[in-house]
Amino acid sequence: MFNCHLPVFGNSSHLLPRHSYRPSRLAAVRAWKAPFGLGKKPAKKQSQEVQKDLEEFQEWAVKHGLPKQQVEVQTVHGQGRGLFATEKIRKGQQLLQIPDALLLTADKAAQECCIGSALKDAGMFDWTVLATYLVELRDQQEQSPASSYWAEYVALLPNNTGCILEWTAKEVHNLLAGSPLQKKAMDIQDAAEKSWHEVQPVLQQAAVQGLIKPEAYTQRRYQWAFSILLTRMCRLPGRCNEEVLVAWGDMANHRSDVTSFWDWDRTKKQIVFQPDCSYDPGEQVYVSYGPKTSGELLLSYGFMLAPESNPNDAYLLEIALDEDDSQLQGKLAALQQYGLSARQQFPLKVNALPDGLLEYAAFIAATPGRSDEIPILAEYLFGKHQFPLLDKVDCRILGVNYVLTVCRTAMLGYKKTMEVDKEYIETQRKRLQDSTFDTEDSSGSQVAQIERSIAAAVLRVRERQILHRTTFILKQSKR
């Protein structure tokens, strides 16, 4: 039997985690002090050569329709490049006005790539088409600079981004053990690996026909191309969610307190951006990559914000129906009625429980005496947002206890304690700062590995802090 019991934690407008990944420029940058900005150190260019590349790139952009800007591209220590105000910029002022000629799309790649038609005929995904074209452009750049339309743009693309595609499988296994991000990392790497294998028949046929040099289309070069796409590709709602590379505009960096992002203006046929704050001349102008957690930033862009400075930081807690639940089918049907699935993720934050968490947990944990009580329970929890008494048991307490169990289990998944991780972070930071440590080794791989291990340890500490805080809040709610 059911009796109404109003929820202590307030009504829930919906039950899905609030992750509205807004379209934005997706660039890999070093957005905070090392060791939070990651990636192997590329071979250093002389400052004059770097400045020459930048000047040629800006001239190329203007030649192909970039209007006079209120911002300019500058090199930023520890962040790669960024956009800086050249004059006073007002909040809401329209900026950028980047034309279609500076957008590298999958359709353009298919038309311009030497094997573009073959890729399309084989049904390759857009990002595989774009990746193949980037590999071709990179090879052209090495053989004969300035030989293609996109040469000046490709010349400024980084050799390394620091994103998860540059991590080894061993690093993902060890550094992300216990973190819910480990599966996300493996999924991203698996997708790139699968795309590489799927394109092999097309590459082999093109080599036989003499269209390509096989030695130029290696897996390592595809990894670079996929990394560029993962970190720089932008989805534009104004162009039916088309995913593109935005030359010149993708130099903009991310800041967590910025909420504005760019989009395609159908009327002006340009990329436009309206900042959510004012900027003085000389200040860096930021865009939003979306409300991403530190872990998501690390995987996708190769950088993390300073600890506790990211308002979007969260631990993605997964709760799922037990496949051995005797009422599995009835619960599945009830969840589907409210747009929910048998497995949901909820973003736990330090100071608040996410909407719908306790309702969903209560539903998973509940054991109604009769099958016809399942839809009634679902209506209370997901329709009325109320916690009923089920056979004199408070469903809110059921939910609290279930989430507590899931949090405790999650904390046991980490290989090392928080104290050990904190000590490791401090030790490795000192190691990097040690004047006797060679940070200029030939490949930079050793430094990159240390930086990744530090960032992963910082992430593990933060995740467990959130889990500990969540368990505290839940225990307090039971008193």
Side-chain angles (χ1 to χ4, degrees):
M1 297 294 292
F2 290 90
N3 291 307
C4 178
H5 181 75
L6 294 178
V8 172
F9 293 95
N11 292 335
S12 304
S13 59
H14 63 281
L15 294 169
L16 294 176
R18 295 185 186 178
H19 279 267
S20 56
Y21 296 102
R22 288 188 168 186
S24 62
R25 200 288 297 181
L26 306 183
V29 296
R30 296 189 169 203
W32 204 68
K33 297 178 182 178
F36 297 94
L38 307 179
K40 298 176 183 177
K41 307 293 189 298
K44 285 190 174 181
K45 284 187 176 182
Q46 297 297 321
S47 59
Q48 290 182 344
E49 187 179 351
V50 171
Q51 186 60 31
K52 182 185 176 190
D53 285 346
L54 188 54
E55 289 174 357
E56 291 178 349
F57 172 66
Q58 300 223 58
E59 290 174 3
W60 169 81
V62 171
K63 176 183 177 181
H64 293 288
L66 184 72
K68 186 179 184 302
Q69 297 287 314
Q70 296 86 5
V71 294
E72 66 178 3
V73 180
Q74 293 184 16
T75 300
V76 190
H77 178 68
Q79 294 188 27
R81 298 180 179 90
L83 297 182
F84 286 77
T86 57
E87 58 187 65
K88 178 69 176 181
I89 294 176
R90 303 184 311 276
K91 177 181 179 180
Q93 179 179 347
Q94 197 167 84
L95 303 177
L96 299 187
Q97 297 96 40
I98 300 174
D100 179 81
L102 300 185
L103 306 187
L104 180 48
T105 67
D107 286 341
K108 289 181 183 178
Q111 293 169 7
E112 299 168 14
C113 178
C114 65
I115 57 171
S117 59
L119 292 168
K120 281 294 187 181
D121 290 343
M124 294 293 106
F125 289 110
D126 284 352
W127 88 317
T128 304
V129 176
L130 276 164
T132 303
Y133 189 40
L134 285 175
V135 170
E136 178 183 320
L137 292 172
R138 187 65 177 265
D139 182 58
Q140 290 177 2
Q141 190 73 19
E142 293 176 356
Q143 301 302 322
S144 177
S147 62
S148 74
Y149 177 89
W150 301 99
E152 287 79 6
Y153 174 59
V154 174
L156 284 188
L157 293 177
N159 293 325
N160 304 99
T161 67
C163 76
I164 194 61
L165 290 177
E166 294 172 4
W167 292 39
T168 65
K170 184 177 180 180
E171 285 176 318
V172 172
H173 177 77
N174 292 333
L175 299 182
L176 298 179
S179 172
L181 291 168
Q182 187 182 63
K183 184 179 185 304
K184 286 180 176 288
M186 294 171 65
D187 287 345
I188 295 172
Q189 290 188 336
D190 287 347
E193 182 79 14
K194 183 177 180 181
S195 296
W196 159 251
H197 287 295
E198 286 177 344
V199 79
Q200 290 309 295
V202 179
L203 296 180
Q204 291 166 5
Q205 182 63 29
V208 170
Q209 296 172 343
L211 298 176
I212 65 170
K213 298 176 298 181
E215 62 271 18
Y217 292 77
T218 64
Q219 186 170 11
R220 184 167 184 175
R221 289 197 176 187
Y222 265 89
Q223 182 197 61
W224 168 80
F226 287 137
S227 296
I228 292 298
L229 295 177
L230 178 63
T231 57
R232 304 183 89 84
M233 200 152 62
C234 167
R235 182 181 292 111
L236 302 175
R239 288 173 65 119
C240 301
N241 288 323
E242 183 180 18
E243 294 184 329
V244 303
L245 290 173
V246 184
W248 199 86
D250 65 2
M251 302 296 166
N253 290 330
H254 166 82
R255 200 172 70 189
S256 61
D257 60 341
V258 171
T259 59
S260 53
F261 58 97
W262 63 43
D263 195 7
W264 180 256
D265 187 312
R266 291 191 179 100
T267 302
K268 296 185 176 181
K269 299 187 183 306
Q270 296 173 330
I271 295 282
V272 295
F273 170 67
Q274 294 177 295
D276 58 4
C277 61
S278 299
Y279 293 93
D280 291 325
E283 287 189 318
Q284 187 171 179
V285 177
Y286 294 93
V287 299
S288 171
Y289 295 2
K292 304 208 180 289
T293 68
S294 292
E296 289 167 332
L297 290 173
L298 179 62
L299 297 191
S300 295
Y301 311 111
F303 73 88
M304 284 175 61
L305 301 175
E308 302 181 10
S309 71
N310 184 2
N312 301 308
D313 243 351
Y315 176 95
L316 299 179
L317 186 74
E318 184 171 276
I319 296 181
L321 265 175
D322 187 344
E323 293 182 357
D324 295 326
D325 191 324
S326 61
Q327 299 172 322
L328 178 63
Q329 295 305 317
K331 287 186 175 181
L332 272 175
L335 287 172
Q336 290 170 358
Q337 184 179 350
Y338 291 92
L340 299 169
S341 65
R343 189 178 299 274
Q344 296 283 148
Q345 281 192 334
F346 296 88
L348 301 181
K349 295 194 173 184
V350 169
N351 56 358
L353 295 176
D355 290 343
L357 170 63
L358 292 182
E359 290 94 329
Y360 188 86
F363 185 76
I364 297 297
T367 54
R370 302 192 312 270
S371 60
D372 60 353
E373 290 182 331
I374 295 175
I376 300 174
L377 175 62
E379 181 182 2
Y380 269 108
L381 294 173
F382 308 134
K384 299 177 180 179
H385 309 295
Q386 298 174 357
F387 291 94
L389 292 176
L390 179 60
D391 295 330
K392 299 182 180 181
V393 176
D394 187 342
C395 281
R396 185 186 68 83
I397 298 300
L398 275 180
V400 168
N401 288 337
Y402 191 85
V403 175
L404 279 171
T405 299
V406 175
C407 286
R408 292 190 189 107
T409 302
M411 285 187 280
L412 292 174
Y414 293 92
K415 290 184 176 180
K416 301 175 182 177
T417 65
M418 263 204 301
E419 290 68 27
V420 170
D421 272 338
K422 287 179 180 179
E423 183 178 349
Y424 176 83
I425 294 167
E426 189 65 26
T427 301
Q428 294 304 310
R429 281 177 176 168
K430 289 180 179 178
R431 183 184 178 193
L432 287 179
Q433 294 167 0
D434 189 341
S435 60
T436 63
F437 182 74
D438 181 12
T439 59
E440 302 298 335
D441 65 326
S442 58
S443 67
S445 60
Q446 185 181 9
V447 174
Q449 289 168 4
I450 294 173
E451 289 180 340
R452 285 198 285 267
S453 68
I454 294 173
V458 170
L459 182 65
R460 294 193 301 266
V461 168
R462 188 60 177 159
E463 288 177 343
R464 277 171 293 183
Q465 287 173 337
I466 294 173
L467 287 170
H468 279 298
R469 179 62 181 170
T470 299
T471 58
F472 174 79
I473 292 173
L474 292 171
K475 288 177 180 178
Q476 290 293 106
S477 74
K478 294 171 65 175
R479 294 184 177 178

